[in-house]
Amino acid sequence: MITEKIRSVFLQTFGESPLLCHSPGRINLIGEHTDYNGGYVMPAAIDKRMVVGIASNDGNQGRIHSIDFDEDFTFDLSSFSPKKGHWGTYIMGVVAQFQQAGYPVKGFDMVFGGDIPVGAGLSSSAALECAVGFALSELFHFEIPQRSLIHYAQKAEHVFAGVQCGIMDQFASVMGKKDHVIRLDCRSLDYRHFPLVLPHHSILLIDTQVKHSLADSAYNQRRLECQEGVIAAQKINPKIQSLRDMDLGILASIQHEVSDIVFNRCKYIIEENERVLTASTLLDNNDLEGFGEKMYSSHEGLSELYEVSCDELDFLVDFTKDLPYVLGSRMMGGGFGGCTINIVEKENVPSLQQEIETAFESKFGVNPKFYEVSLEDGTGLV
């Protein structure tokens, strides 16, 4: 157990027992690339998490030990800056946000570790930021509200780590609820929990082990293409702020003004926002089969209209299409690699893994990784 390990390492390293806090990784069931278009997403917190042990010290330093990297890191609370590519940057980023907001962070000792697979698109960095923020708030009795914690964690990523992430990862990590997904409006931050109880099914992530280098440049390119559609629509209606304000009728009226590529990008986003809203209703009615169909149509849009999939992801989704025990499958995350997310009948998970492993290895020469996850509560005390 990671919590026991942290407790014992903390005792060995700092000679006392820590306060233990945790924050989970997240999945996103549906609603991909809609976040930066002011749209809807449907994430959930999962049973893989970052755990932080913390205690105050009498100095003016943060003294940290990472179990996963087996590495120590110390920084002075009155003078520190980002350390590019180093895990300490995420922790310092949160401290910097707290200090800027007027919270007097004093010297602390910390040990952290987790079981979130790094690089699988499960937001291990957001989980670490939220766990650290919550731990500092608890230790020093700051009583920071959840919403503020989410914003500080996101801003730590923007300012210190230099990643312009949306709000979804941190929001899901903090606001997760067991056996529920969150429908989040990325513009207003209004949200609602929807039940996703799976007595006979598992959520299975299949990791292609592929990360294409074009992901970052393609991401920025998609943002620009979406913006181009919005600018064209504003000529008809100046009140339109983002693709969230558009429907397929408005899009059809500007089709002659934009390229086919821009039209396709916008069409996908408008349809995906609609899919998230429909998926919410399906969950309210406990219609898992209908929900699974929306996952497949989401992938189709991501692959054909938004063009952020890849051969490996398409192969995994296509492989499941005719299997009656798989309700739904789609790529999850930025694209060009990473995971597919699948809803699979529990008793068929082992045979599916075996079949996919054989077929995938024979086609791509790589063994995929498999992670079975369940939906859990968000950030809190251990």
Side-chain angles (χ1 to χ4, degrees):
M1 269 293 275
I2 185 72
T3 48
E4 291 314 310
K5 186 160 188 193
I6 284 172
R7 192 179 271 120
S8 77
V9 170
F10 201 99
L11 203 54
Q12 288 164 18
T13 311
F14 300 114
E16 60 180 309
S17 282
L19 173 75
L20 287 165
C21 306
H22 73 101
S23 198
R26 66 101 192 96
I27 53 174
N28 188 30
L29 272 296
I30 196 164
E32 214 66 74
H33 287 277
T34 45
D35 55 348
Y36 55 82
N37 285 293
Y40 295 100
V41 290
M42 192 176 270
I46 57 170
D47 59 341
K48 298 192 181 301
R49 59 189 183 154
M50 281 290 180
V51 180
V52 164
I54 195 168
S56 53
N57 64 40
D58 296 329
N60 191 42
Q61 290 184 321
R63 302 186 301 187
I64 306 153
H65 176 77
S66 162
I67 284 183
D68 301 328
F69 293 97
D70 191 21
E71 192 184 341
D72 295 314
F73 180 71
T74 300
F75 69 101
D76 195 303
L77 288 165
S78 51
S79 169
F80 59 93
S81 56
K83 198 176 173 188
K84 196 167 169 53
H86 192 276
W87 52 263
T89 297
Y90 296 107
I91 297 167
M92 292 189 292
V94 175
V95 171
Q97 289 306 315
F98 279 21
Q99 288 177 334
Q100 275 177 15
Y103 293 105
V105 179
K106 299 188 181 75
F108 63 90
D109 298 327
M110 180 183 288
V111 174
F112 77 92
D115 59 357
I116 304 173
V118 176
L122 302 179
S123 296
S124 53
S125 59
L128 177 59
E129 290 152 0
C130 295
V132 167
F134 183 82
L136 289 168
S137 178
E138 287 290 310
L139 180 67
F140 297 119
H141 308 292
F142 293 153
E143 295 179 5
I144 294 173
Q146 286 177 310
R147 291 273 178 136
S148 303
L149 181 60
I150 290 163
H151 281 293
Y152 295 144
Q154 182 197 25
K155 225 168 160 207
E157 191 116 13
H158 287 187
V159 178
F160 252 65
V163 178
Q164 297 303 308
C165 61
I167 196 98
M168 176 178 77
D169 297 350
Q170 290 83 0
F171 200 97
S173 196
V174 171
M175 306 300 277
K177 185 178 173 185
K178 188 175 172 61
D179 294 332
H180 285 72
V181 297
I182 304 165
R183 186 185 71 200
L184 173 64
D185 177 337
C186 291
R187 182 150 76 185
S188 68
L189 294 192
D190 288 341
Y191 72 99
R192 195 188 135 195
H193 287 105
F194 287 81
L196 180 60
V197 183
L198 299 168
H200 308 299
H201 291 81
S202 282
I203 296 172
L204 180 68
L205 308 177
I206 307 176
D207 188 349
T208 60
Q209 300 285 289
V210 171
K211 199 67 196 154
H212 290 300
S213 55
L214 66 137
D216 292 343
S217 58
Y219 176 85
N220 293 333
Q221 186 61 32
R222 297 300 178 282
R223 290 189 84 135
L224 291 171
E225 286 158 355
C226 290
Q227 198 48 39
E228 212 176 302
V230 172
I231 289 164
Q234 282 171 338
K235 291 174 186 165
I236 299 168
N237 180 354
K239 286 184 179 170
I240 288 171
Q241 292 177 315
S242 69
L243 290 176
R244 163 74 175 279
D245 301 319
M246 290 169 61
D247 58 25
L248 293 175
I250 294 170
L251 182 62
S253 67
I254 60 160
Q255 187 164 6
H256 61 288
E257 298 281 330
V258 297
S259 68
D260 288 348
I261 284 178
V262 167
F263 178 83
N264 284 343
R265 303 299 189 249
C266 296
K267 183 171 190 277
Y268 162 74
I269 295 293
I270 292 166
E271 289 178 342
E272 184 77 343
N273 276 324
E274 199 50 52
R275 271 191 286 271
V276 178
L277 296 176
T278 308
S280 311
T281 308
L282 292 167
L283 286 185
D284 263 344
N285 298 329
N286 200 28
D287 182 353
L288 292 180
E289 286 188 5
F291 187 88
E293 283 166 19
K294 292 295 168 199
M295 290 173 72
Y296 279 120
S297 48
S298 171
H299 183 81
E300 198 177 310
L302 284 159
S303 180
E304 293 174 16
L305 296 175
Y306 218 63
E307 296 183 275
V308 288
S309 188
C310 62
D311 291 345
E312 294 87 349
L313 290 166
D314 288 343
F315 175 85
L316 288 176
V317 173
D318 288 342
F319 193 93
T320 67
K321 269 186 180 156
D322 296 324
L323 301 174
Y325 56 82
V326 180
L327 293 185
S329 175
R330 71 174 193 89
M331 61 155 272
M332 183 182 82
F336 307 104
C339 286
T340 62
I341 179 167
N342 308 266
I343 301 180
V344 186
E345 276 181 19
K346 280 185 177 145
E347 60 188 38
N348 289 294
V349 168
S351 60
L352 177 67
Q353 287 187 193
Q354 215 168 1
E355 285 177 44
I356 280 183
E357 198 160 32
T358 306
F360 194 85
E361 211 271 332
S362 121
K363 186 165 174 63
F364 298 107
V366 177
N367 276 328
K369 284 191 175 170
F370 301 90
Y371 308 109
E372 237 177 301
V373 298
S374 58
L375 310 187
E376 291 296 335
D377 290 324
T379 310
L381 292 167
V382 172

mmCIF file of all heavy atoms in Angstrom, residues 147-172:
data_model
loop_
_atom_site.group_PDB
_atom_site.id
_atom_site.type_symbol
_atom_site.label_atom_id
_atom_site.label_comp_id
_atom_site.label_asym_id
_atom_site.label_seq_id
_atom_site.Cartn_x
_atom_site.Cartn_y
_atom_site.Cartn_z
ATOM 1 N N ARG A 147 -12.944 25.316 -5.156
ATOM 2 C CA ARG A 147 -12.825 26.041 -6.433
ATOM 3 C C ARG A 147 -11.478 26.756 -6.542
ATOM 4 O O ARG A 147 -10.845 26.768 -7.594
ATOM 5 C CB ARG A 147 -13.942 27.077 -6.579
ATOM 6 C CG ARG A 147 -15.319 26.493 -6.769
ATOM 7 C CD ARG A 147 -15.593 26.237 -8.230
ATOM 8 N NE ARG A 147 -16.892 25.629 -8.420
ATOM 9 C CZ ARG A 147 -17.742 25.995 -9.347
ATOM 10 N NH1 ARG A 147 -17.437 26.965 -10.177
ATOM 11 N NH2 ARG A 147 -18.889 25.379 -9.486
ATOM 12 N N SER A 148 -11.067 27.382 -5.421
ATOM 13 C CA SER A 148 -9.792 28.108 -5.423
ATOM 14 C C SER A 148 -8.628 27.142 -5.580
ATOM 15 O O SER A 148 -7.677 27.407 -6.325
ATOM 16 C CB SER A 148 -9.627 28.908 -4.128
ATOM 17 O OG SER A 148 -10.711 29.795 -3.962
ATOM 18 N N LEU A 149 -8.723 26.009 -4.890
ATOM 19 C CA LEU A 149 -7.678 24.983 -4.994
ATOM 20 C C LEU A 149 -7.509 24.540 -6.452
ATOM 21 O O LEU A 149 -6.381 24.409 -6.953
ATOM 22 C CB LEU A 149 -8.050 23.790 -4.111
ATOM 23 C CG LEU A 149 -7.067 22.611 -4.070
ATOM 24 C CD1 LEU A 149 -5.707 23.055 -3.551
ATOM 25 C CD2 LEU A 149 -7.617 21.486 -3.197
ATOM 26 N N ILE A 150 -8.625 24.338 -7.144
ATOM 27 C CA ILE A 150 -8.600 23.929 -8.554
ATOM 28 C C ILE A 150 -7.869 24.980 -9.396
ATOM 29 O O ILE A 150 -7.004 24.665 -10.212
ATOM 30 C CB ILE A 150 -10.040 23.723 -9.078
ATOM 31 C CG1 ILE A 150 -10.657 22.477 -8.435
ATOM 32 C CG2 ILE A 150 -10.068 23.619 -10.598
ATOM 33 C CD1 ILE A 150 -12.178 22.400 -8.550
ATOM 34 N N HIS A 151 -8.199 26.261 -9.169
ATOM 35 C CA HIS A 151 -7.583 27.338 -9.954
ATOM 36 C C HIS A 151 -6.096 27.492 -9.651
ATOM 37 O O HIS A 151 -5.295 27.712 -10.553
ATOM 38 C CB HIS A 151 -8.323 28.663 -9.720
ATOM 39 C CG HIS A 151 -9.599 28.772 -10.486
ATOM 40 N ND1 HIS A 151 -9.630 28.859 -11.863
ATOM 41 C CD2 HIS A 151 -10.898 28.776 -10.090
ATOM 42 C CE1 HIS A 151 -10.884 28.929 -12.282
ATOM 43 N NE2 HIS A 151 -11.673 28.878 -11.224
ATOM 44 N N TYR A 152 -5.723 27.373 -8.375
ATOM 45 C CA TYR A 152 -4.298 27.473 -8.022
ATOM 46 C C TYR A 152 -3.505 26.345 -8.676
ATOM 47 O O TYR A 152 -2.398 26.548 -9.178
ATOM 48 C CB TYR A 152 -4.093 27.429 -6.500
ATOM 49 C CG TYR A 152 -4.694 28.607 -5.754
ATOM 50 C CD1 TYR A 152 -5.258 28.433 -4.495
ATOM 51 C CD2 TYR A 152 -4.677 29.897 -6.304
ATOM 52 C CE1 TYR A 152 -5.812 29.505 -3.792
ATOM 53 C CE2 TYR A 152 -5.240 30.970 -5.622
ATOM 54 C CZ TYR A 152 -5.807 30.766 -4.364
ATOM 55 O OH TYR A 152 -6.353 31.823 -3.674
ATOM 56 N N ALA A 153 -4.072 25.137 -8.663
ATOM 57 C CA ALA A 153 -3.384 23.990 -9.264
ATOM 58 C C ALA A 153 -3.235 24.174 -10.777
ATOM 59 O O ALA A 153 -2.177 23.909 -11.349
ATOM 60 C CB ALA A 153 -4.148 22.702 -8.953
ATOM 61 N N GLN A 154 -4.294 24.664 -11.421
ATOM 62 C CA GLN A 154 -4.222 24.907 -12.866
ATOM 63 C C GLN A 154 -3.192 25.991 -13.192
ATOM 64 O O GLN A 154 -2.397 25.867 -14.124
ATOM 65 C CB GLN A 154 -5.597 25.329 -13.409
ATOM 66 C CG GLN A 154 -5.594 25.541 -14.929
ATOM 67 C CD GLN A 154 -6.787 26.339 -15.429
ATOM 68 O OE1 GLN A 154 -7.381 27.126 -14.688
ATOM 69 N NE2 GLN A 154 -7.152 26.152 -16.682
ATOM 70 N N LYS A 155 -3.200 27.056 -12.371
ATOM 71 C CA LYS A 155 -2.280 28.160 -12.621
ATOM 72 C C LYS A 155 -0.821 27.750 -12.374
ATOM 73 O O LYS A 155 0.094 28.228 -13.039
ATOM 74 C CB LYS A 155 -2.655 29.352 -11.733
ATOM 75 C CG LYS A 155 -2.638 30.646 -12.508
ATOM 76 C CD LYS A 155 -3.273 31.792 -11.772
ATOM 77 C CE LYS A 155 -2.754 33.086 -12.394
ATOM 78 N NZ LYS A 155 -2.753 34.197 -11.476
ATOM 79 N N ALA A 156 -0.636 26.827 -11.425
ATOM 80 C CA ALA A 156 0.719 26.288 -11.184
ATOM 81 C C ALA A 156 1.241 25.635 -12.463
ATOM 82 O O ALA A 156 2.412 25.785 -12.830
ATOM 83 C CB ALA A 156 0.684 25.273 -10.042
ATOM 84 N N GLU A 157 0.359 24.941 -13.146
ATOM 85 C CA GLU A 157 0.731 24.264 -14.402
ATOM 86 C C GLU A 157 1.020 25.292 -15.497
ATOM 87 O O GLU A 157 1.981 25.173 -16.242
ATOM 88 C CB GLU A 157 -0.407 23.334 -14.824
ATOM 89 C CG GLU A 157 -0.044 22.405 -15.938
ATOM 90 C CD GLU A 157 -0.059 20.926 -15.546
ATOM 91 O OE1 GLU A 157 -0.577 20.561 -14.487
ATOM 92 O OE2 GLU A 157 0.467 20.145 -16.338
ATOM 93 N N HIS A 158 0.191 26.336 -15.565
ATOM 94 C CA HIS A 158 0.386 27.380 -16.585
ATOM 95 C C HIS A 158 1.699 28.133 -16.353
ATOM 96 O O HIS A 158 2.524 28.252 -17.253
ATOM 97 C CB HIS A 158 -0.759 28.407 -16.536
ATOM 98 C CG HIS A 158 -2.044 27.895 -17.086
ATOM 99 N ND1 HIS A 158 -3.152 28.702 -17.261
ATOM 100 C CD2 HIS A 158 -2.434 26.670 -17.499
ATOM 101 C CE1 HIS A 158 -4.148 27.984 -17.755
ATOM 102 N NE2 HIS A 158 -3.728 26.745 -17.892
ATOM 103 N N VAL A 159 1.860 28.657 -15.140
ATOM 104 C CA VAL A 159 2.934 29.611 -14.865
ATOM 105 C C VAL A 159 4.274 28.908 -14.638
ATOM 106 O O VAL A 159 5.304 29.335 -15.159
ATOM 107 C CB VAL A 159 2.586 30.482 -13.630
ATOM 108 C CG1 VAL A 159 3.711 31.443 -13.293
ATOM 109 C CG2 VAL A 159 1.295 31.254 -13.884
ATOM 110 N N PHE A 160 4.251 27.825 -13.847
ATOM 111 C CA PHE A 160 5.510 27.183 -13.476
ATOM 112 C C PHE A 160 5.921 26.069 -14.436
ATOM 113 O O PHE A 160 7.062 26.003 -14.862
ATOM 114 C CB PHE A 160 5.428 26.644 -12.035
ATOM 115 C CG PHE A 160 6.260 27.454 -11.078
ATOM 116 C CD1 PHE A 160 5.933 28.772 -10.817
ATOM 117 C CD2 PHE A 160 7.371 26.910 -10.457
ATOM 118 C CE1 PHE A 160 6.705 29.541 -9.958
ATOM 119 C CE2 PHE A 160 8.156 27.669 -9.595
ATOM 120 C CZ PHE A 160 7.818 28.991 -9.346
ATOM 121 N N ALA A 161 4.971 25.195 -14.778
ATOM 122 C CA ALA A 161 5.319 24.074 -15.665
ATOM 123 C C ALA A 161 5.254 24.484 -17.142
ATOM 124 O O ALA A 161 5.769 23.787 -18.005
ATOM 125 C CB ALA A 161 4.395 22.897 -15.399
ATOM 126 N N GLY A 162 4.590 25.631 -17.412
ATOM 127 C CA GLY A 162 4.527 26.133 -18.790
ATOM 128 C C GLY A 162 3.596 25.355 -19.698
ATOM 129 O O GLY A 162 3.741 25.358 -20.912
ATOM 130 N N VAL A 163 2.608 24.673 -19.100
ATOM 131 C CA VAL A 163 1.633 23.906 -19.892
ATOM 132 C C VAL A 163 0.281 24.608 -19.815
ATOM 133 O O VAL A 163 -0.281 24.773 -18.733
ATOM 134 C CB VAL A 163 1.500 22.459 -19.358
ATOM 135 C CG1 VAL A 163 0.456 21.689 -20.163
ATOM 136 C CG2 VAL A 163 2.842 21.743 -19.415
ATOM 137 N N GLN A 164 -0.237 25.018 -20.977
ATOM 138 C CA GLN A 164 -1.509 25.768 -20.994
ATOM 139 C C GLN A 164 -2.705 24.806 -20.983
ATOM 140 O O GLN A 164 -3.470 24.721 -21.931
ATOM 141 C CB GLN A 164 -1.555 26.679 -22.221
ATOM 142 C CG GLN A 164 -0.472 27.754 -22.224
ATOM 143 C CD GLN A 164 -0.521 28.636 -20.987
ATOM 144 O OE1 GLN A 164 -1.568 29.175 -20.648
ATOM 145 N NE2 GLN A 164 0.610 28.797 -20.325
ATOM 146 N N CYS A 165 -2.839 24.060 -19.891
ATOM 147 C CA CYS A 165 -3.908 23.055 -19.803
ATOM 148 C C CYS A 165 -5.256 23.720 -19.535
ATOM 149 O O CYS A 165 -5.320 24.830 -19.009
ATOM 150 C CB CYS A 165 -3.599 22.066 -18.678
ATOM 151 S SG CYS A 165 -3.492 22.844 -17.057
ATOM 152 N N GLY A 166 -6.336 23.021 -19.904
ATOM 153 C CA GLY A 166 -7.680 23.457 -19.526
ATOM 154 C C GLY A 166 -7.905 23.165 -18.052
ATOM 155 O O GLY A 166 -7.000 22.722 -17.342
ATOM 156 N N ILE A 167 -9.134 23.377 -17.595
ATOM 157 C CA ILE A 167 -9.450 23.227 -16.161
ATOM 158 C C ILE A 167 -9.914 21.813 -15.816
ATOM 159 O O ILE A 167 -9.998 21.437 -14.649
ATOM 160 C CB ILE A 167 -10.525 24.264 -15.754
ATOM 161 C CG1 ILE A 167 -10.621 24.427 -14.225
ATOM 162 C CG2 ILE A 167 -11.900 23.872 -16.306
ATOM 163 C CD1 ILE A 167 -9.881 25.586 -13.690
ATOM 164 N N MET A 168 -10.172 20.989 -16.839
ATOM 165 C CA MET A 168 -10.831 19.705 -16.603
ATOM 166 C C MET A 168 -10.058 18.791 -15.647
ATOM 167 O O MET A 168 -10.648 18.182 -14.756
ATOM 168 C CB MET A 168 -11.054 18.966 -17.926
ATOM 169 C CG MET A 168 -11.639 17.571 -17.731
ATOM 170 S SD MET A 168 -11.968 16.711 -19.275
ATOM 171 C CE MET A 168 -10.319 16.202 -19.753
ATOM 172 N N ASP A 169 -8.745 18.660 -15.831
ATOM 173 C CA ASP A 169 -7.974 17.678 -15.055
ATOM 174 C C ASP A 169 -8.043 17.974 -13.561
ATOM 175 O O ASP A 169 -8.348 17.102 -12.741
ATOM 176 C CB ASP A 169 -6.511 17.670 -15.508
ATOM 177 C CG ASP A 169 -6.364 17.239 -16.956
ATOM 178 O OD1 ASP A 169 -7.368 16.780 -17.533
ATOM 179 O OD2 ASP A 169 -5.262 17.365 -17.510
ATOM 180 N N GLN A 170 -7.746 19.223 -13.208
ATOM 181 C CA GLN A 170 -7.763 19.599 -11.790
ATOM 182 C C GLN A 170 -9.177 19.536 -11.220
ATOM 183 O O GLN A 170 -9.367 19.130 -10.075
ATOM 184 C CB GLN A 170 -7.177 21.014 -11.614
ATOM 185 C CG GLN A 170 -5.678 21.116 -11.858
ATOM 186 C CD GLN A 170 -5.301 21.247 -13.320
ATOM 187 O OE1 GLN A 170 -6.156 21.260 -14.206
ATOM 188 N NE2 GLN A 170 -4.016 21.334 -13.600
ATOM 189 N N PHE A 171 -10.149 19.932 -12.015
ATOM 190 C CA PHE A 171 -11.547 19.922 -11.557
ATOM 191 C C PHE A 171 -11.987 18.495 -11.218
ATOM 192 O O PHE A 171 -12.573 18.231 -10.164
ATOM 193 C CB PHE A 171 -12.470 20.515 -12.630
ATOM 194 C CG PHE A 171 -13.794 20.973 -12.090
ATOM 195 C CD1 PHE A 171 -14.007 22.298 -11.770
ATOM 196 C CD2 PHE A 171 -14.829 20.069 -11.869
ATOM 197 C CE1 PHE A 171 -15.229 22.735 -11.251
ATOM 198 C CE2 PHE A 171 -16.049 20.482 -11.349
ATOM 199 C CZ PHE A 171 -16.243 21.815 -11.039
ATOM 200 N N ALA A 172 -11.688 17.567 -12.119
ATOM 201 C CA ALA A 172 -12.090 16.172 -11.902
ATOM 202 C C ALA A 172 -11.374 15.578 -10.695
ATOM 203 O O ALA A 172 -11.961 14.815 -9.921
ATOM 204 C CB ALA A 172 -11.792 15.348 -13.150
#
